[in-house]
Every structure is written in C-alpha cells, then in structure tokens.
Amino acid sequence: MTEQAVMVKMVLDRWNSLLRNCDECIQSLRADQLEKEIAPGKNRGIYLLGHLIATHDDLFRLLEIGEPLHGDLFEMFVKAPDKAVKDIPSVDRLKEVWGSQVALLTSMIGAISPDEWFGKHSAVSEADFEKEPHRNKLNVILTRTTHLSYHLGQLKLL
Amino acid sequence: MTEQAVMVKMVLDRWNSLLRNCDECIQSLRADQLEKEIAPGKNRGIYLLGHLIATHDDLFRLLEIGEPLHGDLFEMFVKAPDKAVKDIPSVDRLKEVWGSQVALLTSMIGAISPDEWFGKHSAVSEADFEKEPHRNKLNVILTRTTHLSYHLGQLKLL
C-alpha cells in the first residue's frame, strides 16, 4: 500500500463513517422531529438536512465527477437562512433525495484512484495549484467531512 | 513540498483551524452560558468543555509527545455522563486548563516531522501496524478533528 493510498483510505474512512452515521440519524428521525429546531431559536432539522444535500451536491462539480443536480436547494438551504424561504420540499422528499445522493456519491467517490485524489479540484487554477498543492480533491472531502461532523453533532440533538 | 508534507498540511490545517474556532467560541462564552444545556435535556457546555480537554489530554500519550496531565477529567467528562459527578472544576478553571492545553499541544504538534506523522501511534502494536498502516499518528489527529467539529457544532448553539 503506497503512502498515497494510505492517506486516501484515512480520509475516505472518516467520510464514509460519518456519512453512514448521518444517514442512520436522518432515516431514524420522523418528519415531526426533523421539523423541530435543534435548540430554541436555532436551525430546524429540515434546514440542516437540505443544507447538507446542497453542500454535497457541489461535490460533483468540485471532484469533476458530474454536474450539480439540486441547484434550487443551494438557494434555499445555503444562501438563505432557515425560515427565510417558505416553499421548501417536504421532509419525505428531502430524505429521498438524501438517500439517492448518498448512494450515488458513494459509488462515484469509490471509483476515484489515489493518484486522482491528489490532483487539483475544479475551483482552483493550474497556476494556484502549482503553488498550493494541498488544494486537491482529497482536501475537498476532508473539509466536507468536518462540515458534516459539525452538523451531525447538531442533528443528534433532535 | 513532498507529497507527505502536503498530506500533513491538509490534516493539520483542518485541526488548527477548528481548534482556533473552538478556542474563540469557548473564550467568548461567559460562565453562566457554559453552564447551560446546549439543548433542553442535553449536555451542558461545561461538560463538553471538560470532555474536549480530557479527549485531547490523551493525545500526548498517543502521539508519544508526553504524558496525560488531567487523568481526573477523563473520569468526570468521558467515563461519566453529564451531571453524574457533582464536584467538577469551575468554568473559569476549565477555561484556563483549555487555554494552556491548546498552547502546549499546538507547539508540540508543530514540531512533529512529516515522516513521524506516518509512524504508528502508541496504541497499536508493530505487528498490527504492518498490516494496517493507516493507524498512524496523523490519523489520530484526523479522528480528533472530526470529534472536535462535532462538539463545536453543539457549543455554537449556546
């Protein structure tokens, strides 16, 4: 096992494990639970669910494995704060989208080779990447892993 | 920059950034805020603060850079659930310990070479490490980084 492959395994193990935990948490929560605020006056569970889907949707573009599928959710759940947009999808619909996204991302991410992980992601230029080689695809997963963990800690309060 | 150094930078950047965010969050909260529950019926902020100190205290042993300094906090904030132990240190005392620990850890972690990061941590045997080279020191920081992010998401609710 090359050191590169070891590093990829380390990061993907964390990502997959947190994604699985988060999936179990989301699927175990009823609609009325996800519609509650995680703490008084804070974001609702449904907002965090939409926020995670919208954030992960951008991975297809950044990792160059496809195009975003849910641009509308980005407006509702990233650009706008919770409760600002009235007409959002139902919990059941978001749970469906989340489930398909987890399956698709897991299969596409599993097909990326260790060497490709250390290539630049799509939002950095060739020139910048030469100076800052840490701005690679694996780093995108690493930052999304800590983002996922942050919000999982909140969803677990529901 | 070697590929090894790039990998170390990726993980340490995440760790340092979350540790700094968490430090700012903790130092900005008054004692009466940290004594509140993060959500009704859930852990108090003071418990999460003690829990993070106790978890990070174990890093000295795992990374082979020293000995744990706060074994008593492990009993109170990891083994026992919140509110089970009545006689715990004050918020002010825990904030002091947290601050010193952040400074000490940051300085000691900064002195570890890229090559050492890919060496085994103290809780894995040489034989197991040969089969599972991902059980290295850098992976310890990676798992502690997602743990920190999980609880930071909760502390931010206070």
Side-chain angles (χ1 to χ4, degrees):
Chain A
M1 201 171 191
T2 65
E3 209 154 67
Q4 215 182 35
V6 168
M7 175 72 175
V8 170
K9 177 179 168 52
M10 283 160 58
V11 176
L12 293 191
D13 277 359
R14 283 285 69 210
W15 164 257
N16 287 324
S17 156
L18 283 158
L19 198 63
R20 197 165 48 239
N21 284 354
C22 195
D23 186 40
E24 283 168 9
C25 175
I26 286 166
Q27 301 302 351
S28 75
L29 290 165
R30 296 184 312 269
D32 64 300
Q33 292 174 302
L34 278 163
E35 276 155 8
K36 279 193 197 148
E37 291 173 338
I38 47 167
K42 306 294 176 182
N43 290 329
R44 289 171 302 164
I46 188 174
Y47 181 81
L48 294 184
L49 172 53
H51 179 75
L52 287 174
I53 297 171
T55 307
H56 296 174
D57 191 44
D58 202 34
L59 285 172
F60 293 95
R61 184 183 62 85
L62 287 166
L63 302 178
E64 299 169 322
I65 52 177
E67 290 300 319
L69 299 169
H70 308 286
D72 52 328
L73 301 188
F74 192 84
E75 296 293 324
M76 290 175 199
F77 297 111
V78 178
K79 282 200 169 173
D82 191 18
K83 295 158 204 154
V85 181
K86 296 293 161 208
D87 192 20
I88 59 171
S90 69
V91 164
D92 284 350
R93 175 68 192 133
L94 287 175
K95 275 184 166 188
E96 260 178 50
V97 174
W98 164 265
S100 320
Q101 187 187 56
V102 167
L104 184 60
L105 265 180
T106 303
S107 119
M108 299 203 77
I109 281 177
I112 299 175
S113 71
D115 205 44
E116 282 173 283
W117 279 117
F118 286 93
K120 81 175 198 65
H121 62 70
S122 72
V124 62
S125 70
E126 292 283 1
D128 285 348
F129 185 62
E130 204 141 311
K131 286 175 280 180
E132 301 174 308
H134 62 282
R135 297 175 70 183
N136 54 48
K137 290 189 168 86
L138 193 61
N139 213 15
V140 173
I141 290 291
L142 185 54
T143 57
R144 291 322 175 272
T145 301
T146 55
H147 177 262
L148 176 60
S149 190
Y150 184 97
H151 291 303
L152 177 58
Q154 298 177 331
L155 283 166
K156 286 276 190 180
L157 302 172
L158 287 172
Chain B
M1 203 172 191
T2 65
E3 205 155 69
Q4 209 181 43
V6 169
M7 298 180 207
V8 171
K9 179 179 168 51
M10 284 161 60
V11 177
L12 293 191
D13 277 1
R14 284 283 71 210
W15 165 256
N16 287 323
S17 157
L18 283 158
L19 198 63
R20 199 165 46 241
N21 285 355
C22 195
D23 186 41
E24 282 168 11
C25 176
I26 286 166
Q27 301 303 349
S28 76
L29 290 165
R30 297 183 312 269
D32 64 299
Q33 292 175 300
L34 278 163
E35 276 155 9
K36 279 192 199 147
E37 292 173 340
I38 46 168
K42 305 294 178 185
N43 290 329
R44 290 171 301 166
I46 188 174
Y47 181 81
L48 295 183
L49 172 53
H51 179 75
L52 287 174
I53 298 170
T55 306
H56 296 174
D57 191 44
D58 201 34
L59 285 172
F60 293 95
R61 184 183 61 86
L62 286 166
L63 302 178
E64 298 170 321
I65 53 176
E67 290 300 319
L69 298 168
H70 307 287
D72 51 329
L73 301 187
F74 192 85
E75 297 292 324
M76 289 175 198
F77 297 112
V78 178
K79 284 202 168 173
D82 191 16
K83 296 159 203 152
V85 180
K86 295 294 160 207
D87 192 21
I88 59 171
S90 68
V91 164
D92 284 352
R93 176 66 193 137
L94 287 175
K95 275 184 164 186
E96 260 178 49
V97 174
W98 164 265
S100 318
Q101 187 189 56
V102 166
L104 185 60
L105 265 180
T106 303
S107 121
M108 298 200 80
I109 279 177
I112 299 175
S113 72
D115 204 45
E116 283 173 283
W117 279 116
F118 284 91
K120 81 176 199 64
H121 63 69
S122 71
V124 63
S125 70
E126 291 283 0
D128 284 348
F129 186 62
E130 205 141 310
K131 285 174 282 180
E132 301 174 308
H134 62 280
R135 297 174 71 182
N136 54 48
K137 290 189 169 83
L138 194 61
N139 212 12
V140 173
I141 290 292
L142 184 54
T143 57
R144 292 323 173 272
T145 300
T146 53
H147 177 260
L148 176 60
S149 191
Y150 184 98
H151 292 302
L152 177 58
Q154 299 177 329
L155 282 167
K156 286 276 192 181
L157 302 172
L158 287 173

